[in-house]
Amino acid sequence: MGIWFGCALPNYWANLREEQRFAVETVALIDKNYRAYFAFSGPDRVRYLNAILTNNIKELAAHQGIGSLLLHAQGRILAEIDTFAETDRLFCVSYLMVRERLVEVLEKYIIMDDVTLTDESDKFGTLAIEGPKAALVTQELTGIDLQTMQELGWSEAALNSGDSGSAIPCRVIKRSPADVAGAEFLVIRADLPRAWEILLSAAKKHNGGPMGYEALSARRLVQSVPWFGYD
């Protein structure tokens, strides 16, 4: 184990070269539980977030998402925030290492707006799969075709292992490292262990497996992908 994004996450599982192969040739399973989650409700939620984030929130339709930055007055980056549009609220994803500071800043700017901020970081967790077979695994487990979704598009689904166990409700988000369709699975925290087992079994079925952060960091450097807090 090591510290990545301020959280305890696996450096590696067994073999770094093998973990790289999973991501390049088959499918790699990644623990992404370094995330903070916030919900914004109220009639002014879109206007409020559009005013403080760097990207266009106003044009987000339901089941779409977009990445943005939160800056301070001098333009320094305070946080990366992905915003996902729901029917009656906006759901935002950032980093646990800036969670407290983020809540402080976000609440500070809610002055005249009718907006309610809810910190849901203790409620959810995220697991992800990447690699050329990630879309196939996603379709097998949830029935969702990632190829029909926009980047950061999302859909409610259920992880189904195919055995006698009950399916796990989840939100599937499309995220495509190096333009290869991958998926993130947002689940209730209590369901994370079973979701991991379902995804791990599916990855191994396709000659894939888990990927730690030493291999993941090496791969994103090859892809020229900057990481918040590192670059």
Side-chain angles (χ1 to χ4, degrees):
M1 298 294 288
I3 302 299
W4 298 87
F5 301 108
C7 298
L9 293 163
N11 285 324
Y12 60 89
W13 291 90
N15 183 290
L16 297 180
R17 188 177 296 275
E18 185 76 349
E19 292 171 25
Q20 287 274 11
R21 186 186 67 79
F22 294 154
V24 173
E25 298 180 6
T26 58
V27 58
L29 172 59
I30 303 163
D31 179 348
K32 288 197 172 182
N33 284 292
Y34 55 80
R35 300 280 180 77
Y37 308 97
F38 305 96
F40 293 84
S41 57
D44 296 333
R45 64 187 183 278
V46 173
R47 182 178 66 186
Y48 167 72
L49 278 180
N50 195 70
I52 66 171
L53 298 181
T54 57
N55 228 323
N56 187 354
I57 308 301
K58 292 186 295 183
E59 296 183 6
L60 271 185
H63 295 276
Q64 291 182 343
I66 196 168
S68 303
L69 300 176
L70 177 66
L71 310 177
H72 71 15
Q74 286 72 42
R76 180 173 174 268
I77 298 173
L78 296 177
E80 287 181 355
I81 299 178
D82 292 332
T83 303
F84 301 92
E86 301 177 1
T87 303
D88 56 358
R89 68 177 195 166
L90 294 170
F91 186 74
C92 292
V93 180
S94 190
Y95 294 80
L96 281 170
M97 63 182 177
V98 293
R99 175 185 179 184
E100 292 183 4
R101 174 60 175 156
L102 200 49
V103 170
E104 177 184 329
V105 171
L106 291 171
E107 288 184 335
K108 174 183 176 181
Y109 291 114
I110 300 176
I111 303 171
M112 300 297 292
D113 297 290
D114 188 355
V115 179
T116 300
L117 165 62
T118 306
D119 185 349
E120 298 189 345
S121 301
D122 295 329
K123 183 177 179 180
F124 297 107
T126 297
L127 304 174
I129 53 174
E130 297 181 6
K133 293 189 177 180
L136 175 60
V137 171
T138 302
Q139 189 156 29
E140 289 177 348
L141 294 178
T142 67
I144 291 175
D145 183 358
L146 292 178
Q147 305 302 337
T148 65
M149 298 172 65
Q150 296 180 11
E151 187 69 0
L152 292 184
W154 63 272
S155 180
E156 300 293 354
L159 272 175
N160 193 337
S161 62
D163 58 24
S164 57
S166 58
I168 298 174
C170 67
R171 174 171 295 183
V172 178
I173 301 165
K174 181 179 180 180
R175 194 182 295 272
S176 307
D179 296 324
V180 177
E184 294 185 345
F185 301 87
L186 180 77
V187 301
I188 297 296
R189 187 163 291 275
D191 288 334
L192 278 171
R194 195 155 64 92
W196 176 269
E197 291 303 322
I198 291 172
L199 289 165
L200 180 61
S201 177
K204 288 182 175 180
K205 175 184 172 183
H206 291 279
N207 297 314
M211 185 180 193
Y213 276 75
E214 289 187 3
L216 184 62
S217 183
R219 179 158 171 74
R220 63 96 184 182
L221 288 171
V222 170
Q223 297 169 335
S224 299
V225 176
W227 274 1
F228 176 73
Y230 289 82
D231 303 303

